[in-house]
């Protein structure tokens, strides 16, 4: 329970920075709106229009007085009264209805040009503002989920994963990101290790097992750069903190995993809206743990040896058309476990405890489609030892020839192949 409490604290830590940044952005936008309201034309234009209306009303009253001299002679007092009241009526109406559209339409012939010019400038500024807002989007939050299933008939397995991530891009294009997630695994219809009943008959019982755990909290810093021949590169470092994973933290007792990676990529335009990309990637990771092995207190035996060093070298090829991308990648992993110290007095031994370097084969193919902020991905991966026997050397009996390599593994070999489907959403601001 302590591990999962820390896990949820890690989730809050990931999304704290983007939320604070969003509040700061809203305050900045509010300040800009206040400034724009102060700069907008206000009461001076309304007063100017009211004065013009008063002068027009007075001129109309004087013209009517000139056209009707008899009425002006017969009733001079009433005419004077009318002359005083008529200029006041338009001003009174303007005070009561300052937002009516009719007075705004009564402008001079040359004023619409000025008005049109102001509107066009406003639209251009709005477009520039939108472009600037798009380029100023520094934060990104994402969520992805997916399922997977193994092709091996002798060990059927089903997996589910959920991952949450956030990143910030600095003005010099350096990016800092963090992600953490949950995964669940379920193995079913597995044969018993000892398939014999007590009476000596073969049993038909099956074993099912499941596990639910958190993934390590990953923190990464990456910097893109340009190379010659229109090649682009990316260098980065990352640290994995396994305190959000019960298995890695309590059983394997891993403190942290440090990694460094370097990648280069070159894209070629082969047709309209179609491109071909070739890339190479190198990665190294170092694991820091309290012990060099994982121990099972219930069975009082060693479960596994902790990996200490891992080198990976891979190559990838992808073909993209609009929002659809087909990718194929492969490579080799070279690793070494912690060297364990034991002697003849030790009550346990491991045949693989002090093996030197081991070699793994990796292959993957995927089909991805991007729609707005959504990403859909289907793929298959094959991760296996370079040879079926793990490239170990052994002799059956003394004097027999040494056997070093077994059958070589290959892509899509069912025993080591998993198919998967993922869907993710990403939002930038």
């Amino acid at each position: 329970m302590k591990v999962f409490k820390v896990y949820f604290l890690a989730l809050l830590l990931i999304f704290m920075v983007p939320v604070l940044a969003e509040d700061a952005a809203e305050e900045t936008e509010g300040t800009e709106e206040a400034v724009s309201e102060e700069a907008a034309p206000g009461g001076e234009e309304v007063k100017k229009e009211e004065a013009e209306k008063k002068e027009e009303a007075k001129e109309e009253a004087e013209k009517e007085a000139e056209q009707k001299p008899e009425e002006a002679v017969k009733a001079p007092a009433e005419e004077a009264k009318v002359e005083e009241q008529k200029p006041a009526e338009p001003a009174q109406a303007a005070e009561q209805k300052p937002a009516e559209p009719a007075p705004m339409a009564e402008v001079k012939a040359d004023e619409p040009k000025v008005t049109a010019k102001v509107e066009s400038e406003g639209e251009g500024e709005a477009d520039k503002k939108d472009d600037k807002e798009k380029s100023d989007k520094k934060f990104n939050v994402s969520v992805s989920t997916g399922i997977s299933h193994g092709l091996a008939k002798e060990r059927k397995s089903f997996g589910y994963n959920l991952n949450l991530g956030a990143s910030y891009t600095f003005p010099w294009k350096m990016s800092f990101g963090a992600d953490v997630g949950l995964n669940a695994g379920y193995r079913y219809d597995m044969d018993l290790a000892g398939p014999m009943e007590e009476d000596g008959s073969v049993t038909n019982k099956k074993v099912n097992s499941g596990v639910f755990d958190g993934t390590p909290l990953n923190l990464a810093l990456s910097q893109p750069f340009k190379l010659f021949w229109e090649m682009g590169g990316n260098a980065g470092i990352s640290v994995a903190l396994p305190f959000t994973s019960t298995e890695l933290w309590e059983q394997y007792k891993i403190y942290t995993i440090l990694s460094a990676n370097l990648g280069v990529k070159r894209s070629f335009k082969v047709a309209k809206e179609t491109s071909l990309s070739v890339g190479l990637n190198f990665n190294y990771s170092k694991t820091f743990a309290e012990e060099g092995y994982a121990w099972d207190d219930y069975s009082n035996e060693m479960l596994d040896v902790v990996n200490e060093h891992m080198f990976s070298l891979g190559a990838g090829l992808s073909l993209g058309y609009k929002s659809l991308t087909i990718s194929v990648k492969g490579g080799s992993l070279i690793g070494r476990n912690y060297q364990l110290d034991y002697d003849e007095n030790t009550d346990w031994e491991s045949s693989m405890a002090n093996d030197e370097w081991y070699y793994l084969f990796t292959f993957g193919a995927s089909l991805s489609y991007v729609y707005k902020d959504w990403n859909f991905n289907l793929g298959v991966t094959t991760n296996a030892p370079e040879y079926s026997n793990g490239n170990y050397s052994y002799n059956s009996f003394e004097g027999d020839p040494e056997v070093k390599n077994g059958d070589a593994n290959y892509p899509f070999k069912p025993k080591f192949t998993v198919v998967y489907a993922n869907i993710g959403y990403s939002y930038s601001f």
Side-chain angles (χ1 to χ4, degrees):
M1 294 299 296
K2 293 182 180 180
V3 174
F4 285 100
K5 288 181 181 179
V6 178
Y7 171 79
F8 287 110
L9 290 176
L11 287 176
L12 294 176
L13 177 63
I14 288 178
F15 290 97
M16 184 183 297
V17 176
V19 171
L20 295 176
E22 186 176 4
D23 294 339
E26 291 178 357
E27 294 179 359
T28 306
E29 291 178 358
T31 306
E32 293 178 354
E33 290 178 358
V35 174
S36 62
E37 289 178 358
E38 292 178 358
E44 294 182 358
E45 293 183 2
V46 176
K47 292 180 181 179
K48 186 177 181 180
E49 290 177 0
E50 290 177 357
E52 291 178 357
K53 290 176 183 178
K54 288 180 181 180
E55 292 177 1
E56 291 177 0
K58 184 181 287 187
E59 291 177 358
E60 290 177 0
E62 291 176 357
K63 289 180 181 179
E64 290 178 359
E66 292 176 357
Q67 292 175 358
K68 297 180 180 180
E70 295 179 358
E71 294 179 358
V73 173
K74 292 180 180 179
E78 294 178 0
E79 183 179 353
K81 186 177 180 179
V82 170
E83 289 178 357
E84 292 176 359
Q85 291 178 354
K86 283 185 179 180
E89 289 177 0
Q92 193 175 17
E95 291 176 0
Q96 294 176 356
K97 299 179 181 180
E100 285 185 358
M104 296 298 293
E106 296 177 0
V107 293
K108 296 182 181 180
D110 57 345
E111 287 183 359
K113 296 181 181 179
V114 178
T115 304
K117 183 177 180 181
V118 172
E119 290 178 356
S120 63
E121 289 178 357
E123 291 176 359
E125 291 176 357
D127 295 338
K128 292 179 180 179
K129 185 178 180 180
D130 293 339
D131 295 338
K132 185 178 181 181
E133 288 179 354
K134 291 179 181 179
S135 62
D136 290 343
K137 291 181 178 179
K138 304 295 184 182
F139 291 94
N140 177 272
V141 292
S142 62
V143 57
S144 64
T145 183
I147 57 175
S148 62
H149 197 282
L151 299 182
K153 295 181 180 180
E154 64 273 15
R155 47 179 184 177
K156 299 176 183 178
S157 62
F158 173 81
Y160 170 77
N161 66 83
L162 175 66
N163 188 276
L164 303 175
S167 66
Y168 175 77
T169 302
F170 297 95
W172 52 91
K173 296 184 179 181
M174 180 178 286
S175 177
F176 173 77
D179 68 86
V180 69
L182 297 171
N183 58 22
Y186 183 70
R187 300 180 65 182
Y188 60 98
D189 289 346
M190 295 184 297
D191 295 330
L192 287 172
M196 303 298 292
E197 295 285 3
E198 294 181 357
D199 58 359
S201 62
V202 178
T203 179
N204 57 1
K205 293 180 180 179
K206 298 292 183 179
V207 178
N208 301 324
S209 66
V211 61
F212 177 81
D213 202 357
T215 63
L217 173 63
N218 297 306
L219 306 175
L221 192 66
S222 62
Q223 174 66 57
F225 57 89
K226 293 182 179 180
L227 294 172
F228 49 88
W229 296 339
E230 299 182 358
M231 289 193 303
N234 189 81
I237 56 174
S238 63
V239 55
L241 304 175
F243 64 89
T244 54
S245 172
T246 303
E247 181 181 18
L248 298 179
W249 187 253
E250 295 184 358
Q251 286 188 338
Y252 284 78
K253 297 181 180 180
I254 296 177
Y255 296 138
T256 185
I257 303 174
L258 297 179
S259 301
N261 62 82
L262 175 65
V264 293
K265 186 177 180 181
R266 175 74 159 88
S267 298
F268 305 89
K269 185 176 180 180
V270 295
K272 185 179 180 181
E273 298 182 336
T274 304
S275 61
L276 181 68
S277 300
V278 180
L280 295 174
N281 185 75
F282 172 79
N283 183 82
Y284 167 74
S285 63
K286 160 69 175 173
T287 302
F288 297 88
E290 181 180 351
E291 301 287 348
Y293 55 90
W295 189 262
D296 188 355
D297 294 330
Y298 296 99
S299 61
N300 195 30
E301 62 181 9
M302 186 175 63
L303 293 175
D304 194 8
V305 183
V306 179
N307 172 266
E308 183 179 11
H309 303 283
M310 176 66 73
F311 296 89
S312 68
L313 180 63
L317 179 67
S318 62
L319 178 65
Y321 174 71
K322 292 184 177 179
S323 299
L324 185 66
T325 303
I326 302 175
S327 301
V328 177
K329 59 182 180 180
S332 179
L333 303 176
I334 304 174
R336 182 177 178 179
N337 296 326
Y338 270 92
Q339 302 299 292
L340 303 181
D341 297 327
Y342 59 88
D343 52 30
E344 57 184 8
N345 296 324
T346 306
D347 58 356
W348 57 269
E349 291 186 3
S350 173
S351 60
M352 64 172 60
N354 284 324
D355 286 333
E356 295 297 327
W357 298 93
Y358 60 86
Y359 305 88
L360 300 178
F361 162 79
T362 177
F363 171 82
S366 63
L367 175 66
S368 63
Y369 178 76
V370 178
Y371 177 74
K372 294 183 178 179
D373 294 331
W374 294 88
N375 187 298
F376 306 88
N377 196 4
L378 297 173
V380 56
T381 59
T382 303
N383 295 316
E386 186 179 9
Y387 297 96
S388 58
N389 69 339
N391 199 25
Y392 298 132
S393 301
Y394 63 91
N395 294 78
S396 299
F397 300 97
E398 185 177 355
D400 287 351
E402 181 181 0
V403 178
K404 184 176 182 180
N405 296 331
D407 297 331
N409 286 315
Y410 54 87
F412 303 110
K413 189 173 184 177
K415 185 177 180 180
F416 303 104
T417 299
V418 175
V419 294
Y420 64 88
N422 295 330
I423 179 174
Y425 178 80
S426 177
Y427 176 71
S428 299
F429 58 97

